């Protein structure tokens, strides 16, 4: 990998595979018959298939797809929360697949943070301690970690709730805690797996706005998984549409909306295109 590419891209993934089967190491990835047998099996799953892509530093890269398309498996592979079957993952110059257990733990603490759909908060710890938890793992002194945690609690709009416990917070507030906990360690890369899908529409939009403002000021690289096209188009600098473990199209939101690569993508964006066409017709009629 050239120095120029290392400086430009935060994430580089090459020929990534993830197969859920009892004998993954015996599967010949070059034989289509074996791969088809996995796809047809009720017991095995070909979740990510020969996927290659890069994410530029400071970019919001959105992966969209229907349930079962492989997007959540893909994002978990990036941190090896799910172990890839084959391929390479490079994040900020680190060869993630070749990190040992100690190196991987350190990498997860400092290089990349994950925000989950179901928050993953520690129920027996207050908001303040939840947000500061990653700093505690880094052996940051208590006074400093609480000071940094309070900064992010204020930043996500939770001032006054620092001594509350997760059970006493709404879903939207819990998600804000999760984002603050991820950002307090100032990670170069933020991975987000459908973080707003369980929120009601108004809170969801507020959280999207909050994330956009934070990203604009910090220039954090964000890898964002969603099944919601409107959310993806609103947040993403670029988008990938995923189907059966593969990217079928990568481009800017406008490019994908205007020129779908195939029938699957066309169906994915159909409702959005119809809404835009109706809105344009109303504008034309109003100006006539």
């Amino acid at each position: 990998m050239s120095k120029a590419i290392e400086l430009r891209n935060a994430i580089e993934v090459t020929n990534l595979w993830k197969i859920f089967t009892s004998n993954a190491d015996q599967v010949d990835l070059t034989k289509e018959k074996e791969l088809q047998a996995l796809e047809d099996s009720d017991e095995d799953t070909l979740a990510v298939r020969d996927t290659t892509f890069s994410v530029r530093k400071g970019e919001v890269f959105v992966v969209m797809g229907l349930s079962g398309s492989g997007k959540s498996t893909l994002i978990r592979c990036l941190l090896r929360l799910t172990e890839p079957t084959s391929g390479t993952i490079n994040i900020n110059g680190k060869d993630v697949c070749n990190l040992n257990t100690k190196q991987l733990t350190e990498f997860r603490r400092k290089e990349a943070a994950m925000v989950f759909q179901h928050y993953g908060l520690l129920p027996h710890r207050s908001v303040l301690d939840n947000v500061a938890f990653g700093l505690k793992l880094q052996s940051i002194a208590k006074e400093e970690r609480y000071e940094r945690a309070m900064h992010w609690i204020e930043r996500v709009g939770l001032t006054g709730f620092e001594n509350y416990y997760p059970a006493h917070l709404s879903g939207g507030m819990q998600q804000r805690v999760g984002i603050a906990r991820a950002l307090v360690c100032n990670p170069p890369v933020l991975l987000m797996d459908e973080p707003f899908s369980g929120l009601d529409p108004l809170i969801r939009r507020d959280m999207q706005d909050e994330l956009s403002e934070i990203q604009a000021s910090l220039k954090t690289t964000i890898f964002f998984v969603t099944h919601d096209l409107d959310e993806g188009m609103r947040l993403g600098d670029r988008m990938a549409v995923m189907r059966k473990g593969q990217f079928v199209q990568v481009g800017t939101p406008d490019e994908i909306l205007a020129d779908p690569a195939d029938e699957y993508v066309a169906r994915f964006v159909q409702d959005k295109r119809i809404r835009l066409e109706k809105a344009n017709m109303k504008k034309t009629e109003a100006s006539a």
Side-chain angles (χ1 to χ4, degrees), residues 159-219:
T159 301
F161 292 91
E162 55 270 15
N163 294 319
Y164 282 59
Y165 287 84
H168 301 138
L169 304 177
S170 67
M173 295 169 77
Q174 289 183 42
Q175 192 56 278
R176 289 174 191 267
V177 176
I179 292 174
R181 183 179 60 183
L183 290 171
V184 73
C185 296
N186 194 26
V189 174
L190 184 62
L191 308 176
M192 308 187 78
D193 186 10
E194 301 206 47
F196 308 144
S197 63
L199 307 179
D200 69 56
L202 290 179
I203 295 175
R204 185 171 188 162
R205 190 171 183 87
D206 286 344
M207 292 304 301
Q208 292 167 0
D209 289 341
E210 187 72 40
L211 181 64
S212 294
E213 290 177 9
I214 289 171
Q215 197 278 334
S217 63
L218 297 181
K219 303 300 180 185

Side-chain angles (χ1 to χ4, degrees), residues 41-52:
S41 171
D42 293 330
E43 299 178 356
D44 305 318
T45 303
L46 208 172
V48 179
R49 177 171 178 158
D50 199 17
T51 298
T52 297

Side-chain angles (χ1 to χ4, degrees), residues 280-288:
N280 289 333
M281 288 177 60
K282 288 182 179 180
K283 288 182 181 178
T284 301
E285 292 172 356
S287 61

Side-chain angles (χ1 to χ4, degrees), residues 12-18 29 48-53 84-89:
E12 290 259 347
V13 173
T14 306
N15 303 127
L16 187 69
W17 294 78
K18 178 56 189 178
L29 300 177
V48 179
R49 177 171 178 158
D50 199 17
T51 298
T52 297
F53 66 93
T85 301
S86 179
T88 63
I89 300 168

Side-chain angles (χ1 to χ4, degrees), residues 104-221:
L104 183 58
T105 298
E106 191 70 6
F107 174 82
R108 290 171 178 168
R109 288 177 180 174
K110 296 182 178 180
E111 298 290 337
M114 185 92 165
V115 179
F116 297 94
Q117 178 179 351
H118 299 295
Y119 322 129
L121 302 183
L122 301 170
H124 59 289
R125 293 181 182 267
S126 67
V127 167
L128 179 61
D129 284 324
N130 262 285
V131 174
F133 187 68
L135 299 176
K136 182 178 181 179
L137 294 178
Q138 295 181 23
S139 300
I140 303 296
K142 184 174 182 179
E143 183 177 353
E144 181 182 347
R145 68 175 183 259
Y146 278 178
E147 181 179 349
R148 289 168 61 178
M150 284 300 299
H151 167 79
W152 280 104
I153 287 170
E154 179 180 356
R155 185 71 186 268
V156 299
L158 289 177
T159 301
F161 292 91
E162 55 270 15
N163 294 319
Y164 282 59
Y165 287 84
H168 301 138
L169 304 177
S170 67
M173 295 169 77
Q174 289 183 42
Q175 192 56 278
R176 289 174 191 267
V177 176
I179 292 174
R181 183 179 60 183
L183 290 171
V184 73
C185 296
N186 194 26
V189 174
L190 184 62
L191 308 176
M192 308 187 78
D193 186 10
E194 301 206 47
F196 308 144
S197 63
L199 307 179
D200 69 56
L202 290 179
I203 295 175
R204 185 171 188 162
R205 190 171 183 87
D206 286 344
M207 292 304 301
Q208 292 167 0
D209 289 341
E210 187 72 40
L211 181 64
S212 294
E213 290 177 9
I214 289 171
Q215 197 278 334
S217 63
L218 297 181
K219 303 300 180 185
T220 303
T221 302

